[in-house]
Amino acid sequence: MNALALDLPTDSYTEFLERFKTSISSLFQKENIDQLSLSRGLPPNVWKEIFNLKPLSVAIPKEFGGRGVKVKECLGLLSAASYESLPLSLTFGINIALFLEPLAKYGNNIIKGDIFKHFLDYGAMGGLMITEPDYGSDALSMRTQNQLIDNEYHVKGTKHWQGLTGLANYWLITSRNANAEGNLGRDVDFFIADTHKPNQNIEVLEYYDNAGLYMIPYGLNKVDVKLPQENKLIPESTGLKLMLDVLHRSRFQFPGMGMGFLKRMMDEATTHCKERIVGTSNLFALDQVQFQLAKMQSYFTLCSAMCAKSCKVSGIENDVSGSGVHANSMKALVTDMMQDSAQMLVQLSGGKGYRLSHIGGRGIMDSRPFQIFEGSNEMLYTQISEGILKDMKKKKTDNLGDYLAINELTANASKLYKKEFDFTIGSPISQRKMIDLGKIIARVVTVNDLLELNNEGFSQQLTDNSIEMVRQEIVMLLASLQHHKDISALCEIGDNSDWMKFA
């Protein structure tokens, strides 16, 4: 099994990460990343220099020459990349969470060595195909099918919005088994396609004009491949559980991509506000600016807590298929914070921020899809609420504060907001209220993780400020939750809706 393995890395992770940071910063200055970001993709020579640093070695097991698939190392790399370029970090995130980690955990040993060697030696990339044109987040209704014919799996279907479309060398493809009558099974199967091998190429039918993330190609893909049996992932129980394990682990890694990005937005905003003189003082002295900067610091703090917690719970040795509330809280909240930080940076930067060649203007467009892909945030907040309400019913309590005090994800943080949460929740509640409740729960879960990080020595001042900033957000969300009116859209807005008739 180790015939293709390389010598183990001899440098420490600190040395590896520092070399990566220095090299990427230097490369993007030399190539002018602000200008590069105006065009689709990256020049081949830039990709080559990036992959010469062997960034994806962090997600490859040691027995195959990698650094060992340690969450801390993966998140550190994602953070370092997103400080310079969010699309670059997402490129790494796709490879790590949606291909390399599933391969390491569920792949057949027969094929692992060759694939890992291509990632380490030749800068190969891999992605995941789940989404279909007619079935977005409703993955369980996918129509892509597989059949075992003459010792090969024939996989056919149409997939779209896959990051690295036409660029990835390997694809992890989801499908459902078709029986003799053509009916599709309820479970999901995962297969690896090597696009360089006969009968395994994925045809790109169309490239999409994605509004942000110019570095990453997206498009419409036709799947019609024949794969050897060893290319099928081996689930520990069911394919559905495997899919949840993969997706939840990926969501646990979103804070890594968010970390560097949030710090960059904060650093840029702080520097600009200190240097920008308005009248007799700088922007930094203005009260509203202080509030916005404090909010960005709170986001940085909360994301730090997420990263630290993710290191403890999301390694491939753990089964995170049942960790939906925690994983969804991290993904939804950190991506909302990313978008909000980019918006604040642009607002503080004035006109110059509203350009694609500015890190803020680009940040708005690049961070926006993070709130949509891998489960839109509204859906994830709803799922958080569903999980909490189901557990409240099981625990036979309808008082939110009492419940949060006995849930290990929220127990410590709930003490800080005891007054705010002393109310009962009737069931059922409308979806719009479910979303507000999900946003509240996500914040309490994250503050709980922050208290844990604070106990280990993290900045007390940043922690205290974050706790109060979150309190303010919770009060606003509770007001929204408790005062929703049942306002519905009209089927037609009617003849008397033209103001010009009345002026």
Side-chain angles (χ1 to χ4, degrees):
M1 183 173 74
N2 290 352
L4 295 171
L6 306 179
D7 293 333
L8 291 176
T10 55
D11 55 343
S12 71
Y13 178 65
T14 302
E15 294 169 331
F16 167 84
L17 189 62
E18 194 55 43
R19 184 170 64 251
F20 175 80
K21 287 180 179 178
T22 304
S23 300
I24 290 295
S25 178
S26 174
L27 173 64
F28 282 172
Q29 284 181 18
K30 180 180 73 175
E31 298 289 343
N32 193 343
I33 187 62
D34 290 334
Q35 289 302 311
L36 277 183
S37 297
L38 301 178
S39 304
R40 301 277 172 181
L42 278 183
N45 67 298
V46 176
W47 278 124
K48 185 176 180 181
E49 285 201 48
I50 291 171
F51 281 100
N52 279 345
L53 299 169
K54 301 192 186 302
L56 299 180
S57 62
V58 295
I60 293 173
K62 284 187 176 180
E63 59 264 37
F64 297 101
R67 298 195 60 89
V69 203
K70 298 173 185 173
V71 178
K72 179 180 177 179
E73 296 196 3
C74 292
L75 298 190
L77 175 82
L78 294 175
S79 178
S82 67
Y83 190 87
E84 301 293 339
S85 164
L86 188 56
L88 178 62
S89 185
L90 179 57
T91 297
F92 293 157
I94 292 168
N95 277 279
I96 292 170
L98 302 181
F99 186 83
L100 289 170
E101 288 181 338
L103 173 63
K105 182 168 184 176
Y106 297 107
N108 193 312
N109 285 333
I110 297 172
I111 64 171
K112 284 184 183 179
D114 183 59
I115 296 176
F116 286 138
K117 179 178 173 63
H118 277 78
F119 275 80
L120 285 170
D121 285 3
Y122 310 120
M125 289 195 276
L128 171 64
M129 291 186 165
I130 294 181
T131 311
E132 299 182 2
D134 294 328
Y135 305 96
S137 296
D138 185 17
L140 299 185
S141 296
M142 70 179 72
R143 306 309 298 171
T144 301
Q145 59 180 268
N146 69 78
Q147 284 184 301
L148 183 60
I149 305 172
D150 297 330
N151 294 318
E152 283 186 320
Y153 280 102
H154 292 208
V155 184
K156 293 184 179 182
T158 305
K159 302 286 189 181
H160 78 156
W161 281 115
Q162 280 71 51
L164 308 178
T165 288
L167 189 60
N169 312 92
Y170 297 91
W171 286 105
L172 192 53
I173 306 167
T174 57
S175 63
R176 296 161 66 195
N177 183 253
N179 62 21
E181 290 76 40
N183 298 319
L184 299 183
R186 291 173 57 85
D187 206 11
V188 178
D189 296 318
F190 285 72
F191 296 91
I192 292 173
D194 178 349
T195 62
H196 292 125
K197 290 187 176 178
N199 299 321
Q200 296 189 36
N201 190 42
I202 308 294
E203 182 183 354
V204 180
L205 299 178
E206 177 188 356
Y207 283 101
Y208 292 158
D209 55 343
N210 37 295
L213 300 172
Y214 277 14
M215 190 184 294
I216 304 175
Y218 289 88
L220 179 67
N221 297 286
K222 179 183 177 182
V223 179
D224 188 355
V225 296
K226 297 178 180 178
L227 307 169
Q229 294 185 54
E230 59 265 24
N231 282 35
K232 182 179 179 182
L233 294 194
I234 307 165
E236 293 173 350
S237 55
T238 65
L240 291 177
K241 194 171 180 182
L242 186 159
M243 183 162 70
L244 285 174
D245 185 51
V246 169
L247 292 179
H248 288 167
R249 182 170 293 101
S250 175
R251 290 169 190 166
F252 273 122
Q253 294 194 15
F254 269 69
M257 293 183 282
M259 191 71 253
F261 181 79
L262 289 168
K263 188 172 191 306
R264 180 67 180 273
M265 297 297 104
M266 179 180 70
D267 289 349
E268 293 282 343
T270 303
T271 300
H272 173 75
C273 291
K274 286 180 178 178
E275 295 176 351
R276 182 70 167 177
I277 303 300
V278 180
T280 59
S281 186
N282 57 13
L283 280 178
F284 194 79
L286 298 176
D287 181 59
Q288 173 63 8
V289 171
Q290 280 289 307
F291 174 72
Q292 288 172 296
L293 293 177
K295 202 167 192 178
M296 295 173 90
Q297 290 175 1
S298 174
Y299 291 167
F300 164 83
T301 302
L302 294 171
C303 188
S304 298
M306 293 181 188
C307 287
K309 187 65 174 183
S310 182
C311 291
K312 294 181 179 179
V313 301
S314 70
I316 60 172
E317 68 277 5
N318 298 323
D319 174 13
V320 294
S321 61
S323 303
V325 169
H326 208 165
N328 291 352
S329 293
M330 283 197 188
K331 187 274 180 184
L333 182 54
V334 77
T335 54
D336 279 353
M337 294 192 303
M338 290 163 69
Q339 173 68 190
D340 199 24
S341 277
Q343 294 281 357
M344 284 190 285
L345 173 58
V346 168
Q347 190 72 16
L348 291 167
S349 301
K352 74 174 186 179
Y354 195 64
R355 302 172 65 176
L356 278 178
S357 57
H358 186 275
I359 189 73
R362 195 161 68 244
I364 288 176
M365 298 309 296
D366 286 345
S367 64
R368 184 65 180 91
F370 279 70
Q371 296 173 293
I372 302 169
F373 59 56
E374 269 203 52
S376 72
N377 286 2
E378 289 83 1
M379 182 186 80
L380 297 184
Y381 284 130
T382 303
Q383 289 179 353
I384 291 167
S385 294
E386 287 172 347
I388 292 298
L389 291 175
K390 183 179 178 182
D391 200 40
M392 286 178 70
K393 191 173 182 180
K394 186 177 175 183
K395 300 277 197 305
K396 296 182 178 178
T397 178
D398 59 0
N399 183 282
L400 183 62
D402 290 347
Y403 170 76
L404 295 178
I406 60 173
N407 186 321
E408 65 175 353
L409 295 178
T410 57
N412 291 327
S414 70
K415 298 172 187 174
L416 300 172
Y417 308 115
K418 195 171 182 180
K419 179 182 173 184
E420 284 82 4
F421 293 141
D422 186 18
F423 65 92
T424 59
I425 298 181
S427 184
I429 60 176
S430 66
Q431 189 196 2
R432 63 189 77 175
K433 290 187 176 183
M434 293 279 274
I435 292 170
D436 281 342
L437 178 60
K439 290 180 178 180
I440 292 167
I441 299 298
R443 283 162 170 78
V444 182
V445 168
T446 306
V447 169
N448 206 75
D449 293 341
L450 175 58
L451 293 176
E452 193 174 307
L453 181 61
N454 177 248
N455 287 337
E456 293 166 7
F458 187 81
S459 167
Q460 188 65 51
Q461 203 164 1
L462 284 175
T463 300
D464 291 343
N465 286 354
S466 261
I467 288 169
E468 291 311 310
M469 191 66 74
V470 169
R471 188 188 308 279
Q472 187 170 343
E473 293 173 356
I474 286 174
V475 168
M476 293 172 67
L477 286 164
L478 284 172
S480 175
L481 174 69
Q482 293 166 356
H483 294 95
H484 270 308
K485 299 297 182 183
D486 189 18
I487 303 171
S488 299
L490 306 174
C491 292
E492 299 288 341
I493 61 172
D495 295 333
N496 295 328
S497 59
D498 182 359
W499 68 269
M500 296 190 73
K501 290 180 181 180
F502 310 104

